[in-house]
Amino acid sequence: MSKVGILMGSDSDLPIMKKAAEMLENFGVEYEMTVISAHRMPEIFVDYAKGAEERGIDVIIAGAGGAAHLPGMCAALFKLPVIGVPIHTKSLGGVDSLYSIVQMPSGIPVATVAINGAANAAILAVEMLSISDKELRGKVKEYCAGLKDQVVAKAEKLDKLGYEAYIQQM
């Protein structure tokens, strides 16, 4: 079975990155999660990234703030998909993280989601895995149908109640 690696540079990123874990659990996708730093523990990081495929990891989701080197370093060492999650920072609101992750040099791609977009990173990982897993593809289609149903239900409720009453129930 496919497995996803969820990495973060600091445990302060856990409230964001747990959303990826929760989404993977919803799809029944196995994962491992750890705190690892490309800067503070480079030897351990390199061992992790180089050994990930051997451990059954097919996609890595890496969250990082500030200089945000973790996703790019993963992509340099792990030759399967890497999805970067820029983490919101106090100084620049996560734009620094976003730019660091999205501006990778040619040949070292990192798929990048929105700032704090760990749930979308997990959905993207599941979609990648579903290319070769029809059962998982069916779950993705069910999930998307559920999103549509939620929006339709909200539109019907708004039509029935009107704007003022709808807002009061929110």
Side-chain angles (χ1 to χ4, degrees):
M1 174 175 234
S2 296
K3 190 159 72 169
V4 175
I6 301 174
L7 306 179
M8 63 204 90
S10 170
D11 63 349
S12 64
D13 301 337
L14 188 56
I16 300 303
M17 298 307 290
K18 76 175 184 173
K19 295 173 185 173
E22 292 166 353
M23 188 61 71
L24 292 172
E25 288 171 7
N26 288 342
F27 282 102
V29 173
E30 190 177 342
Y31 65 90
E32 64 182 37
M33 182 187 303
T34 193
V35 175
I36 196 162
S37 173
H39 295 117
R40 295 180 200 98
M41 50 197 292
E43 296 87 2
I44 294 170
F45 166 75
V46 168
D47 289 345
Y48 177 91
K50 284 186 172 183
E53 184 178 2
E54 194 174 285
R55 287 191 318 280
I57 301 294
D58 290 312
V59 179
I60 290 177
I61 299 171
H69 287 102
L70 189 60
M73 288 301 298
C74 285
L77 297 168
F78 178 73
K79 297 306 170 195
L80 288 167
V82 175
I83 303 168
V85 179
I87 302 293
H88 184 275
T89 57
K90 290 179 183 171
S91 58
L92 297 172
V95 175
D96 49 343
S97 314
L98 175 65
Y99 287 164
S100 290
I101 296 170
V102 80
Q103 293 290 12
M104 293 304 301
S106 182
I108 312 294
V110 175
T112 310
V113 295
I115 296 167
N116 290 350
N120 269 354
I123 295 167
L124 181 56
V126 170
E127 290 175 342
M128 290 172 175
L129 297 172
S130 78
I131 291 169
S132 60
D133 183 334
K134 291 187 185 208
E135 182 181 336
L136 197 52
R137 191 175 315 159
K139 290 179 181 181
V140 170
K141 289 177 181 179
E142 284 178 32
Y143 175 78
C144 291
L147 293 175
K148 175 188 167 193
D149 293 344
Q150 289 173 21
V151 174
V152 168
K154 289 176 184 180
E156 289 172 353
K157 183 177 177 183
L158 177 59
D159 289 345
K160 180 180 175 186
L161 296 176
Y163 173 76
E164 294 295 328
Y166 186 88
I167 293 296
Q168 289 177 356
Q169 288 188 2
M170 290 182 81

